[in-house]
Amino acid sequence: MSSRGSTFAALGAASALLMVTACAAATSSDTASGPGSAVPAAATTTDPDAGAPPGAEILGRPAVGEPFKLTVGSSDEARPDEFEITVEDVTCGEPLDPEVVAHAAESVGEPTPTPTPEAGKQYCVVALEVLNVGKSEANWSAGDVMTLNVADTAYSQSLADADHAYDYSQYWYSKGKAGPSFGLNPGSKGPDHGVFQIPADEEPTTVWVASGTSFEGFDGPEPGYLVQLDPAG
């Protein structure tokens, strides 16, 4: 999933007698600095920082499937929590995993309504793999520090979305794959999921993952990684 001249004035009659080489040199000069020599940036490029909180330090721009290291401060400054995070997949426009929904219904012992997004919205599920590369057991939850973005518009989990993400964690725990919200020992890994709702006619472009325990620190937004998606992929 990733994001996607010049008109010259006609030469006057007096210029018609200039040598061809001189014309070529003038043309080159016009291309470099003349009026209309470049299309405005907004029409040809995408802001590489779009999706990151304004003012946040971007630690990297990994692609889907490319791991990145997240260091999260803890009470033990000598042993900060360290994780290797990989965004493995982003699925939009489909119902939530029916096995996850069924497991959630079984856990409460009664039928539950099939989850449906808000009117005009679609579900997007971000699947991650989290490896503890630190030196002590650590907990981490993607929903606390992650947004799914459409250009420069950031979508966070609602309370209902967070409940669905918790259902994914419980489901995979029942399959013997404990995620980071349950705590991971050094060298252990597990799945994590974020559930988001974005407009039904949009495609996400990036995922922002902050390096703190929240989006905002004492001095402004926490630094983080801007994971690049390919809408056409």
Side-chain angles (χ1 to χ4, degrees):
M1 304 189 230
S2 79
S3 306
R4 322 232 199 261
S6 291
T7 302
F8 300 99
L11 293 176
S15 303
L17 298 179
L18 292 176
M19 295 190 324
V20 173
T21 54
C23 287
T27 301
S28 175
S29 174
D30 283 348
T31 303
S33 59
S37 65
V39 175
T44 58
T45 61
T46 299
D47 180 0
D49 296 347
E57 178 188 1
I58 299 176
L59 302 175
R61 294 178 173 83
V64 171
E66 182 180 351
F68 54 93
K69 186 176 179 180
L70 206 63
T71 301
V72 182
S74 66
S75 56
D76 185 355
E77 295 184 0
R79 287 187 172 184
D81 296 339
E82 295 180 304
F83 302 97
E84 185 180 89
I85 312 291
T86 305
V87 174
E88 296 190 313
D89 186 47
V90 179
T91 304
C92 294
E94 299 181 7
L96 300 182
D97 190 325
E99 292 188 14
V100 171
V101 174
H103 181 268
E106 291 174 6
S107 66
V108 298
E110 60 184 42
T112 58
T114 300
T116 55
E118 300 169 18
K121 298 286 188 70
Q122 61 176 323
Y123 282 129
C124 288
V125 179
V126 181
L128 309 96
E129 181 180 80
V130 181
L131 170 67
N132 184 349
V133 294
K135 298 183 179 299
S136 60
E137 182 185 6
N139 297 71
W140 187 79
S141 177
D144 295 337
V145 294
M146 185 167 66
T147 63
L148 183 65
N149 313 307
V150 177
D152 60 354
T153 302
Y155 294 89
S156 300
Q157 290 190 151
S158 67
L159 289 176
D161 298 334
D163 286 342
H164 297 319
Y166 176 76
D167 291 339
Y168 274 81
S169 296
Q170 292 291 332
Y171 171 77
W172 286 107
Y173 182 81
S174 74
K175 299 296 182 181
K177 295 184 178 181
S181 61
F182 294 97
L184 292 174
N185 273 311
S188 295
K189 64 182 178 181
D192 203 6
H193 294 79
V195 178
F196 302 87
Q197 296 185 51
I198 69 171
D201 59 349
E202 299 280 9
E203 292 184 85
T205 54
T206 59
V207 174
W208 173 256
V209 185
S211 63
T213 55
S214 64
F215 293 108
E216 292 287 331
F218 291 113
D219 301 320
E222 294 282 4
Y225 290 85
L226 194 59
V227 182
Q228 306 296 301
L229 308 180
D230 179 9

